[in-house]
Amino acid sequence: MQSAQALIGMNIKVARIRKSWTQADLASKLDVEQSYISRIEKGSVAVSCDRIYEIIHILGCEHTDIFPDAAEVERKLTKGIID
């Protein structure tokens, strides 16, 4: 579901920025390219649950910080904030 994918990406970006990390910082810790992080944050690439939990662990945040509530997805769809 792209809408949830977009919200997850946006939430990863917010969590990364809260740590004052660049995309390159996070990419280095995950041993991936910065462009991959960019695509995750834009919601343009599907990310496995394993990878998302790895990101959560590296960022030191809670899963609830990353995974959107179903009501939030519905609200943003209704307002046209996400596709």
Side-chain angles (χ1 to χ4, degrees):
M1 177 179 203
Q2 181 164 351
S3 56
Q5 189 173 303
L7 283 173
I8 288 168
M10 181 177 60
N11 291 341
I12 289 171
K13 181 177 182 176
V14 168
R16 174 183 58 77
I17 290 171
R18 282 187 183 141
K19 291 193 72 81
S20 300
W21 287 1
T22 65
Q23 288 180 344
D25 294 332
L26 181 56
S28 174
K29 293 176 186 315
L30 289 168
D31 197 27
V32 298
E33 295 194 13
Q34 178 271 327
S35 62
Y36 179 63
I37 300 301
S38 176
R39 291 191 310 272
I40 289 172
E41 291 181 355
K42 290 178 184 175
S44 63
V45 64
V47 184
S48 72
C49 287
D50 289 342
R51 179 64 81 177
I52 293 171
Y53 277 106
E54 184 179 6
I55 291 169
I56 290 168
H57 175 74
I58 288 171
L59 289 173
C61 60
E62 298 294 325
H63 72 279
T64 53
D65 295 329
I66 303 301
F67 289 106
D69 181 82
E72 180 183 6
V73 173
E74 182 63 32
R75 182 179 56 81
K76 290 188 177 189
L77 280 171
T78 302
K79 289 185 175 186
I81 296 172
I82 56 176
D83 296 331

